[in-house]
Amino acid sequence: MILPLGPMHPAFKEPLRLKLKTRGEKVLSAEIDYGYVHRGIERVMTGKTWQKAIYLSERVCGICSYIHTQTFAETFELISGERAPLRAQFLRVLTNELDRIQSHLLANSTYFKALEHETLFMYMLYLREPVMDAIELLTGNRVNMGWNVVGGVRMDVDDTHLQKVRDIINNLESEYDKYVEMFEQGPLVGLRSKDVGVMSKEDAIKGRAVGPIGRASGLKHDLREDHHTYRDHLDFNVIWRKEGDNFARTMNRFDEIPESISLIKQVIDNLPEGEVRKKIDIGAGYGEWRNEAPRGEVTYMIETNGNLINNISIRTPSIMNIDSCAKYMLQDAATVADAVATYASVDPCVACAERVVILDEKEGKKEFQGIHNIKYLK
């Protein structure tokens, strides 16, 4: 039978419909229906200056909004051939890693909620709250921070800010392990997570899975290795696992948090003096820039005439990860309850993955959206 999950479901953060083909409780295969929250942000950005468009980029994703403005700004800096001052680059790393920690804690809390383990669900939110306070302390806001600009960041920090961030991180580090142990050693959540929703390394490559989802299936790649600030000034280890199941995806996010804490301490201890913003002249051109968002690779492709955006396309990690989930992880799931937990283990962000599909009924063609197609929609 065909069993629909969603678009509204208690375990889903956003609307999306999963069509499960089942025999009894066993899931044979799955398909995904998008289209419930498409907002056309790329189309709205077209024809605008970067000063107006950067606020829209922050609204692509409500959980990892920070990395979108950083990637947007760095794409323009690439087109201009200049980089932000080194102090601004370090402050971008500081905020990006705080944002990664809160995103990973929220993702794991949602997974525990899907398992109906409400104690761990609440503990994750308890750990996350001070990190959100640290982000607010630095930028003035908790979600849409408005902190990145082309050429640097909007405001500087002082020693008082840095000491408070250090205190918050030290406290998180001292409490963190006991909650991780509850999941890693606990028989209830372990039995519900191990060998469930397995995706092999070969399937992860075919599905183009990225971020912690790909790394949990053996893909040892993190775009921070290629970013000039991380590569030239900071040390960190790429976290990866081999199992490829729900347990591995959750633990991979857990294990990345100490690496983010290490990066934050390196930034605080070695923050360079100097300006945090400089004027950059933007000429006409095309730029393509990738960054490691909490969920994986986010890519901005921007064409500008020097003042206005001629064309922009944004690729977010959830597009590949949700597709990989439907094709490989849900196939042969033992129960429908396992399918719900497996979907939650992917940390899907539906709003940033939404795209338009153009159907030509006469020609029988189905075309995935692009900015040129959206222009002609009526």
Side-chain angles (χ1 to χ4, degrees):
M1 65 176 289
I2 302 297
L3 178 66
L5 280 184
M8 301 301 172
H9 189 282
F12 291 3
K13 289 186 291 186
E14 296 172 278
L16 176 138
R17 185 167 66 172
L18 283 171
K19 291 189 291 188
L20 304 180
K21 186 177 181 181
T22 62
R23 180 180 296 127
E25 271 288 295
K26 186 179 177 62
V27 178
L28 303 178
S29 63
E31 292 181 18
I32 290 181
D33 274 354
Y34 291 102
Y36 296 94
V37 286
H38 182 261
R39 297 165 294 166
I41 285 180
E42 294 151 315
R43 177 67 186 94
V44 180
M45 285 179 170
T46 306
K48 289 185 169 52
T49 61
W50 74 259
Q51 289 90 344
K52 290 183 177 179
I54 197 169
Y55 291 103
L56 293 166
S57 72
E58 198 162 40
R59 285 154 177 79
V60 172
C61 179
I63 303 302
C64 53
S65 61
Y66 179 80
I67 195 64
H68 282 273
T69 57
Q70 179 179 331
T71 311
F72 181 96
E74 289 180 341
T75 310
F76 270 92
E77 290 160 10
L78 176 69
I79 293 171
S80 71
E82 296 188 59
R83 288 179 180 172
L86 189 57
R87 185 176 177 88
Q89 293 179 36
F90 270 56
L91 292 177
R92 283 176 175 175
V93 171
L94 176 62
T95 314
N96 189 23
E97 295 308 318
L98 286 170
D99 204 40
R100 190 181 315 280
I101 292 173
Q102 67 83 15
S103 178
H104 281 2
L105 290 172
L106 182 63
N108 283 355
S109 76
T110 305
Y111 176 68
F112 299 140
K113 187 171 183 289
L115 291 180
E116 299 182 1
H117 199 301
E118 294 197 2
T119 304
L120 269 176
F121 162 65
M122 294 302 296
Y123 278 146
M124 292 301 104
L125 298 182
Y126 163 74
L127 288 176
R128 177 178 179 260
E129 193 59 23
V131 182
M132 298 297 289
D133 291 341
I135 292 172
E136 184 180 10
L137 179 71
L138 292 174
T139 68
N141 294 293
R142 292 163 64 89
V143 179
N144 293 327
M145 302 162 208
W147 205 44
N148 275 306
V149 293
V150 175
V153 295
R154 194 173 297 279
M155 298 177 292
D156 203 351
V157 299
D158 58 30
D159 291 341
T160 307
H161 295 131
L162 297 177
Q163 184 57 49
K164 288 183 178 177
V165 172
R166 187 194 296 274
D167 292 342
I168 289 171
I169 291 303
N170 286 339
N171 189 57
L172 170 66
E173 196 172 25
S174 66
E175 293 202 19
Y176 174 74
D177 287 341
K178 62 183 178 185
Y179 299 119
V180 178
E181 186 179 351
M182 288 177 67
F183 172 70
E184 189 174 19
Q185 306 297 332
L188 171 63
V189 284
L191 287 174
R192 280 291 309 273
S193 305
K194 291 178 179 175
D195 298 323
V196 177
V198 177
M199 178 173 67
S200 68
K201 182 178 179 180
E202 291 72 23
D203 288 341
I205 294 171
K206 286 190 287 186
R208 300 177 182 177
V210 293
I213 308 307
R215 290 193 286 275
S217 291
L219 300 181
K220 190 182 178 183
H221 178 62
D222 189 317
L223 275 172
R224 287 178 289 178
E225 291 179 297
D226 304 326
H227 192 282
H228 49 85
T229 313
Y230 290 88
R231 182 192 60 216
D232 298 340
H233 303 285
L234 302 166
D235 295 320
F236 82 104
N237 298 310
V238 176
I239 303 299
W240 65 290
R241 303 177 76 93
K242 296 180 180 177
E243 302 92 331
D245 54 9
N246 292 357
F247 184 84
R249 287 185 278 277
T250 306
M251 281 305 301
N252 211 88
R253 284 190 288 267
F254 269 142
D255 292 342
E256 287 187 8
I257 290 176
E259 290 299 322
S260 292
I261 290 174
S262 169
L263 286 165
I264 290 167
K265 289 182 175 179
Q266 290 179 56
V267 167
I268 293 175
D269 292 339
N270 302 288
L271 186 62
E273 297 294 332
E275 60 184 352
V276 296
R277 181 179 183 180
K278 68 179 182 182
K279 188 176 186 306
I280 287 182
D281 295 324
I282 302 168
Y286 170 81
E288 184 175 326
W289 192 261
R290 295 178 174 83
N291 269 327
E292 184 72 21
R295 294 181 173 87
E297 177 184 316
V298 61
T299 306
Y300 272 63
M301 292 157 275
I302 299 175
E303 179 187 354
T304 173
N305 64 9
N307 186 38
L308 303 176
I309 296 173
N310 278 345
N311 202 343
I312 180 168
S313 184
I314 306 167
R315 191 175 74 167
T316 64
S318 288
I319 296 172
M320 292 81 80
N321 289 339
I322 295 176
D323 198 46
S324 298
C325 174
K327 285 182 178 174
Y328 304 113
M329 301 176 202
L330 296 181
Q331 193 173 35
D332 297 326
T335 68
V336 174
D338 286 337
V340 174
T342 300
Y343 176 71
S345 77
V346 177
D347 187 19
C349 179
V350 175
C352 68
E354 287 284 17
R355 293 296 184 271
V356 171
V357 174
I358 310 296
L359 294 174
D360 186 335
E361 295 183 354
K362 291 183 179 178
E363 299 291 331
K365 294 181 180 178
K366 185 177 182 181
E367 187 177 358
F368 199 57
Q369 77 92 41
I371 190 66
H372 298 295
N373 293 326
I374 295 177
K375 283 181 180 178
Y376 303 112
L377 287 180
K378 295 182 179 178

